[in-house]
Protein backbone atom coordinates (compact mmCIF):
# COMPACT_ATOMS: atom_id res chain seq x y z
CA UNK A 1 0.00 0.00 0.00
CA UNK A 2 1.42 3.40 -0.96
CA UNK A 3 2.07 5.65 2.01
CA UNK A 4 0.64 8.76 0.32
CA UNK A 5 -1.93 10.64 2.33
CA UNK A 6 -4.30 13.21 0.84
CA UNK A 7 -7.24 15.33 1.88
CA UNK A 8 -10.13 16.62 -0.24
CA UNK A 9 -12.81 19.00 0.95
CA UNK A 10 -16.41 18.35 -0.19
CA UNK A 11 -18.19 20.59 2.32
CA UNK A 12 -16.71 23.31 4.52
CA UNK A 13 -19.68 25.15 6.06
CA UNK A 14 -21.21 24.91 9.50
CA UNK A 15 -24.83 24.90 10.60
CA UNK A 16 -26.73 24.85 7.28
CA UNK A 17 -25.97 24.65 3.56
CA UNK A 18 -25.78 28.17 2.15
CA UNK A 19 -25.55 28.07 -1.67
CA UNK A 20 -25.87 31.37 -3.51
CA UNK A 21 -23.94 34.08 -5.30
CA UNK A 22 -22.11 35.08 -2.10
CA UNK A 23 -20.59 31.64 -1.46
CA UNK A 24 -19.56 30.36 -4.90
CA UNK A 25 -15.82 30.57 -4.27
CA UNK A 26 -15.60 28.89 -0.85
CA UNK A 27 -18.71 26.72 -1.27
CA UNK A 28 -22.03 26.33 0.49
CA UNK A 29 -22.10 22.65 1.48
CA UNK A 30 -21.77 21.48 5.07
CA UNK A 31 -18.94 19.42 6.59
CA UNK A 32 -17.50 16.53 4.61
CA UNK A 33 -13.78 15.80 4.30
CA UNK A 34 -12.23 12.85 2.48
CA UNK A 35 -8.90 11.56 3.80
CA UNK A 36 -7.19 9.06 1.55
CA UNK A 37 -4.60 6.81 3.25
CA UNK A 38 -2.88 4.89 0.45
CA UNK A 39 -5.73 2.98 -1.19
CA UNK A 40 -8.10 3.38 1.81
CA UNK A 41 -10.74 6.08 1.88
CA UNK A 42 -11.81 7.60 5.20
CA UNK A 43 -14.54 10.25 5.30
CA UNK A 44 -15.14 12.71 8.10
CA UNK A 45 -18.74 13.83 8.54
CA UNK A 46 -21.75 13.33 6.32
CA UNK A 47 -22.76 16.95 5.70
CA UNK A 48 -24.36 17.98 2.41
CA UNK A 49 -20.92 17.78 0.73
CA UNK A 50 -21.10 13.97 0.99
CA UNK A 51 -23.56 13.93 -1.92
CA UNK A 52 -20.90 15.16 -4.34
CA UNK A 53 -18.30 12.72 -3.02
CA UNK A 54 -20.90 9.97 -3.57
CA UNK A 55 -21.44 11.14 -7.14
CA UNK A 56 -17.69 11.11 -7.79
CA UNK A 57 -17.35 7.57 -6.38
CA UNK A 58 -20.40 6.37 -8.34
CA UNK A 59 -18.89 7.73 -11.55
CA UNK A 60 -15.35 6.42 -11.00
CA UNK A 61 -15.83 3.16 -9.11
CA UNK A 62 -19.58 2.43 -8.93
CA UNK A 63 -19.43 1.01 -5.44
CA UNK A 64 -18.11 2.50 -2.21
CA UNK A 65 -15.84 1.01 0.44
CA UNK A 66 -15.67 3.73 3.04
CA UNK A 67 -15.09 4.28 6.75
CA UNK A 68 -17.25 7.25 7.73
CA UNK A 69 -16.41 8.96 11.03
CA UNK A 70 -18.98 11.33 12.50
CA UNK A 71 -17.86 14.16 14.76
CA UNK A 72 -21.42 14.14 16.11
CA UNK A 73 -24.96 13.80 14.81
CA UNK A 74 -26.11 17.41 14.52
CA UNK A 75 -28.05 17.60 11.30
CA UNK A 76 -25.45 19.66 9.38
CA UNK A 77 -23.03 16.72 9.83
CA UNK A 78 -25.51 14.00 8.85
CA UNK A 79 -27.82 15.49 6.23
CA UNK A 80 -25.79 14.14 3.28
CA UNK A 81 -25.96 10.50 4.36
CA UNK A 82 -29.29 9.60 2.68
CA UNK A 83 -27.92 11.12 -0.55
CA UNK A 84 -24.71 9.08 -0.61
CA UNK A 85 -25.84 7.10 -3.63
CA UNK A 86 -23.05 4.49 -3.92
CA UNK A 87 -24.19 3.07 -0.55
CA UNK A 88 -27.37 1.93 -2.30
CA UNK A 89 -25.38 -0.23 -4.73
CA UNK A 90 -24.91 -3.92 -3.98
CA UNK A 91 -21.28 -4.65 -3.14
CA UNK A 92 -20.73 -1.35 -1.31
CA UNK A 93 -19.44 -1.33 2.25
CA UNK A 94 -20.07 1.62 4.54
CA UNK A 95 -18.74 1.53 8.09
CA UNK A 96 -20.13 4.36 10.21
CA UNK A 97 -18.28 5.28 13.41
CA UNK A 98 -19.71 7.66 16.02
CA UNK A 99 -19.54 8.51 19.69
CA UNK A 100 -21.78 10.53 22.01
CA UNK A 101 -25.00 8.86 20.89
CA UNK A 102 -24.97 5.70 23.01
CA UNK A 103 -27.36 7.33 25.50
CA UNK A 104 -29.78 8.06 22.62
CA UNK A 105 -29.80 4.45 21.40
CA UNK A 106 -26.56 4.45 19.38
CA UNK A 107 -25.61 5.54 15.87
CA UNK A 108 -27.65 2.83 14.13
CA UNK A 109 -30.81 4.12 15.77
CA UNK A 110 -29.92 7.76 15.00
CA UNK A 111 -29.55 6.95 11.28
CA UNK A 112 -32.74 4.87 11.35
CA UNK A 113 -34.59 7.87 12.83
CA UNK A 114 -33.20 10.23 10.18
CA UNK A 115 -34.26 7.86 7.39
CA UNK A 116 -37.83 7.18 8.46
CA UNK A 117 -41.34 8.58 8.23
CA UNK A 118 -42.08 11.49 8.38
CA UNK A 119 -38.55 12.85 7.93
CA UNK A 120 -37.40 10.91 4.87
CA UNK A 121 -39.09 8.69 2.25
CA UNK A 122 -36.43 5.94 2.07
CA UNK A 123 -35.58 3.68 5.00
CA UNK A 124 -32.12 2.35 5.96
CA UNK A 125 -33.20 -1.11 4.82
CA UNK A 126 -33.21 0.24 1.22
CA UNK A 127 -29.42 0.65 1.36
CA UNK A 128 -28.21 -2.10 -0.94
CA UNK A 129 -24.65 -2.30 0.34
CA UNK A 130 -23.42 -3.58 3.67
CA UNK A 131 -23.65 -1.00 6.45
CA UNK A 132 -21.78 -1.48 9.72
CA UNK A 133 -22.27 0.77 12.74
CA UNK A 134 -19.74 1.21 15.53
CA UNK A 135 -20.35 3.28 18.66
CA UNK A 136 -17.13 4.21 20.41
CA UNK A 137 -16.15 6.45 23.31
CA UNK A 138 -14.29 9.68 22.55
CA UNK A 139 -10.74 9.06 23.80
CA UNK A 140 -10.52 5.59 22.27
CA UNK A 141 -7.88 4.75 19.66
CA UNK A 142 -9.48 3.24 16.53
CA UNK A 143 -7.76 1.06 13.95
CA UNK A 144 -10.05 0.93 10.93
CA UNK A 145 -7.41 -0.80 8.77
CA UNK A 146 -3.84 -2.10 9.05
CA UNK A 147 -1.45 0.82 9.24
CA UNK A 148 -4.13 3.44 9.92
CA UNK A 149 -4.51 4.76 13.47
CA UNK A 150 -7.34 7.14 14.38
CA UNK A 151 -6.95 8.80 17.77
CA UNK A 152 -10.01 10.52 19.25
CA UNK A 153 -10.79 13.06 21.96
CA UNK A 154 -13.98 14.62 23.35
CA UNK A 155 -14.77 18.17 22.20
CA UNK A 156 -16.55 21.02 23.94
CA UNK A 157 -19.90 21.17 22.12
CA UNK A 158 -23.57 20.99 23.17
CA UNK A 159 -24.42 17.27 23.33
CA UNK A 160 -20.74 16.40 22.80
CA UNK A 161 -18.61 15.89 19.69
CA UNK A 162 -15.42 14.03 18.85
CA UNK A 163 -12.12 15.23 17.43
CA UNK A 164 -9.92 12.90 15.35
CA UNK A 165 -6.25 12.48 14.45
CA UNK A 166 -5.48 10.15 11.56
CA UNK A 167 -1.94 8.75 11.46
CA UNK A 168 -0.68 7.02 8.35
CA UNK A 169 2.69 6.61 6.63
CA UNK A 170 4.46 9.06 8.94
CA UNK A 171 1.85 11.82 8.51
CA UNK A 172 -0.90 13.02 10.82
CA UNK A 173 -4.08 14.91 9.93
CA UNK A 174 -6.37 16.21 12.67
CA UNK A 175 -10.07 16.94 12.13
CA UNK A 176 -11.44 18.96 15.03
CA UNK A 177 -15.01 20.22 14.70
CA UNK A 178 -17.38 21.25 16.31
CA UNK A 179 -15.74 22.70 19.40
CA UNK A 180 -15.57 25.78 21.60
CA UNK A 181 -11.91 26.35 22.46
CA UNK A 182 -10.97 28.16 25.63
CA UNK A 183 -9.13 31.45 25.17
CA UNK A 184 -7.11 30.82 28.37
CA UNK A 185 -6.24 27.15 28.73
CA UNK A 186 -5.52 24.76 25.88
CA UNK A 187 -7.11 21.36 26.50
CA UNK A 188 -4.24 18.81 26.70
CA UNK A 189 -6.35 16.26 24.78
CA UNK A 190 -6.72 18.71 21.87
CA UNK A 191 -3.06 19.59 22.04
CA UNK A 192 -2.27 15.87 21.68
CA UNK A 193 -4.55 15.57 18.61
CA UNK A 194 -2.89 18.54 16.94
CA UNK A 195 0.73 18.00 18.08
CA UNK A 196 3.20 18.30 15.15
CA UNK A 197 0.41 17.37 12.70
CA UNK A 198 0.95 17.83 8.96
CA UNK A 199 -2.52 19.41 8.78
CA UNK A 200 -5.10 20.48 11.36
CA UNK A 201 -8.63 21.13 10.09
CA UNK A 202 -10.51 22.99 12.78
CA UNK A 203 -13.82 24.67 13.61
CA UNK A 204 -13.34 28.42 13.15
CA UNK A 205 -16.95 29.46 12.76
CA UNK A 206 -16.34 32.91 14.24
CA UNK A 207 -13.88 35.75 14.58
CA UNK A 208 -12.74 36.94 18.04
CA UNK A 209 -15.03 39.94 17.58
CA UNK A 210 -18.07 37.67 17.10
CA UNK A 211 -17.27 35.31 19.98
CA UNK A 212 -18.89 37.23 22.88
CA UNK A 213 -22.29 36.95 21.16
CA UNK A 214 -21.90 33.19 20.85
CA UNK A 215 -20.62 31.95 24.20
CA UNK A 216 -21.84 28.39 24.84
CA UNK A 217 -22.73 27.73 21.18
CA UNK A 218 -19.88 25.23 20.86
CA UNK A 219 -17.72 26.90 18.19
CA UNK A 220 -14.40 28.75 18.04
CA UNK A 221 -12.71 31.72 16.42
CA UNK A 222 -9.85 31.54 13.95
CA UNK A 223 -7.70 33.49 16.42
CA UNK A 224 -8.23 30.76 19.06
CA UNK A 225 -7.27 28.13 16.47
CA UNK A 226 -4.07 30.02 15.64
CA UNK A 227 -3.10 29.95 19.34
CA UNK A 228 -3.69 26.19 19.49
CA UNK A 229 -1.72 25.65 16.26
CA UNK A 230 1.26 27.63 17.59
CA UNK A 231 1.23 25.73 20.87
CA UNK A 232 0.97 22.37 19.08
CA UNK A 233 3.64 23.16 16.46
CA UNK A 234 1.17 22.40 13.66
CA UNK A 235 2.72 22.36 10.18
CA UNK A 236 -0.40 23.61 8.38
CA UNK A 237 -3.57 25.05 9.91
CA UNK A 238 -6.80 24.91 7.92
CA UNK A 239 -9.81 27.01 8.96
CA UNK A 240 -13.08 25.09 8.60
CA UNK A 241 -16.85 24.97 9.44
CA UNK A 242 -17.37 28.54 8.21
CA UNK A 243 -20.31 30.58 9.42
CA UNK A 244 -22.99 30.59 6.67
CA UNK A 245 -23.21 34.37 7.26
CA UNK A 246 -19.59 34.81 6.12
CA UNK A 247 -19.67 35.41 2.38
CA UNK A 248 -16.69 35.00 0.03
CA UNK A 249 -15.42 38.55 0.61
CA UNK A 250 -15.52 38.06 4.38
CA UNK A 251 -13.74 34.69 3.99
CA UNK A 252 -11.04 36.46 1.92
CA UNK A 253 -10.56 38.97 4.75
CA UNK A 254 -10.32 36.14 7.31
CA UNK A 255 -7.88 34.21 5.08
CA UNK A 256 -5.61 37.24 4.76
CA UNK A 257 -5.66 38.05 8.48
CA UNK A 258 -5.11 34.42 9.52
CA UNK A 259 -2.20 33.95 7.09
CA UNK A 260 -0.62 37.12 8.49
CA UNK A 261 -1.07 35.90 12.08
CA UNK A 262 0.29 32.43 11.31
CA UNK A 263 2.07 32.13 7.93
CA UNK A 264 0.95 29.12 5.91
CA UNK A 265 -2.58 29.08 7.36
CA UNK A 266 -5.23 28.28 4.76
CA UNK A 267 -9.01 28.45 4.57
CA UNK A 268 -10.92 25.33 3.50
CA UNK A 269 -13.02 25.64 0.36
CA UNK A 270 -14.94 23.06 -1.63
CA UNK A 271 -12.67 21.13 -3.96
CA UNK A 272 -9.44 22.00 -2.15
CA UNK A 273 -7.01 19.05 -2.41
CA UNK A 274 -3.89 18.60 -0.32
CA UNK A 275 -1.40 15.75 -0.70
CA UNK A 276 1.49 14.77 1.56
ZN1 LIG B 1 -21.66 21.80 12.81
ZN1 LIG C 1 -22.83 20.72 16.15
Amino acid sequence: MSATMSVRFWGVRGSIPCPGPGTVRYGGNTSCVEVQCGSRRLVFDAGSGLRMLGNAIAEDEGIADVDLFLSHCHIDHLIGLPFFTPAFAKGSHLHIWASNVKSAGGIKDAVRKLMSFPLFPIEVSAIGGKVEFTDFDAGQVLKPRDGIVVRTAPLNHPGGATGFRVEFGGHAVAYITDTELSSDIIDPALLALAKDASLVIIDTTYTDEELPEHVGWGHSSWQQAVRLAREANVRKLCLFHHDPEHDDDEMDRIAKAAAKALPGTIVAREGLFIEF
Side-chain angles (χ1 to χ4, degrees):
M1 186 154 64
S2 110
T4 308
M5 197 173 185
S6 66
V7 176
R8 194 182 294 274
F9 292 85
W10 296 92
V12 300
R13 290 282 161 180
S15 308
I16 189 165
C18 54
T23 57
V24 286
R25 285 191 285 115
Y26 287 87
N29 281 297
T30 61
S31 304
C32 182
V33 175
E34 178 187 12
V35 177
Q36 190 82 31
C37 299
S39 58
R40 277 308 301 170
R41 179 185 277 125
L42 314 188
V43 178
F44 290 84
D45 280 330
S48 64
L50 182 66
R51 182 182 65 86
M52 294 191 303
L53 169 58
N55 290 351
I57 292 173
E59 203 166 295
D60 294 346
E61 300 151 43
I63 58 166
D65 187 6
V66 164
D67 285 283
L68 170 63
F69 297 87
L70 299 173
S71 63
H72 61 316
C73 287
H74 284 162
I75 197 72
D76 54 318
H77 297 256
L78 204 54
I79 192 71
L81 188 59
F83 300 91
F84 185 58
T85 49
F88 292 87
K90 263 203 163 44
S92 282
H93 181 202
L94 179 61
H95 189 166
I96 305 176
W97 307 71
S99 70
N100 312 311
V101 279
K102 276 184 189 168
S103 61
I107 181 58
K108 187 175 183 179
D109 201 50
V111 172
R112 187 193 58 75
K113 281 178 186 152
L114 175 73
M115 296 181 69
S116 63
F117 179 81
L119 299 180
F120 201 73
I122 300 167
E123 303 211 339
V124 180
S125 57
I127 294 178
K130 183 180 166 200
V131 192
E132 254 181 281
F133 296 92
T134 299
D135 287 284
F136 65 91
D137 294 311
Q140 259 179 265
V141 178
L142 313 173
K143 292 183 177 158
R145 284 291 185 284
D146 278 352
I148 305 174
V149 175
V150 180
R151 299 183 194 280
T152 68
L155 302 179
N156 179 23
H157 194 65
T162 305
F164 301 90
R165 174 189 172 99
V166 188
E167 296 173 352
F168 176 76
H171 299 288
V173 171
Y175 177 81
I176 302 171
T177 200
D178 298 5
T179 197
E180 187 164 342
L181 297 172
S182 159
S183 291
D184 311 317
I185 315 148
I186 293 178
D187 178 352
L190 283 196
L191 202 56
L193 285 190
K195 191 75 189 152
D196 300 322
S198 314
L199 178 72
V200 171
I201 302 157
I202 191 162
D203 174 356
T204 53
T205 303
Y206 303 124
T207 63
D208 262 1
E209 295 69 37
E210 292 165 336
L211 267 187
E213 298 278 301
H214 302 92
V215 173
W217 290 34
H219 300 292
S220 304
S221 72
W222 66 261
Q223 290 95 334
Q224 289 175 315
V226 163
R227 284 192 281 276
L228 170 69
R230 273 210 196 97
E231 196 71 27
N233 191 35
V234 167
R235 275 179 256 166
K236 192 176 270 300
L237 177 67
C238 179
L239 313 186
F240 183 73
H241 198 273
H242 313 316
D243 190 327
E245 301 303 326
H246 289 172
D247 65 11
D248 287 332
D249 291 344
E250 175 66 9
M251 293 314 304
D252 282 345
R253 280 191 285 275
I254 290 171
K256 206 170 160 192
K260 195 174 168 200
L262 184 67
T265 297
I266 56 170
V267 172
R269 58 176 163 74
E270 270 174 41
L272 177 65
F273 177 75
I274 301 167
E275 193 171 36
F276 306 106

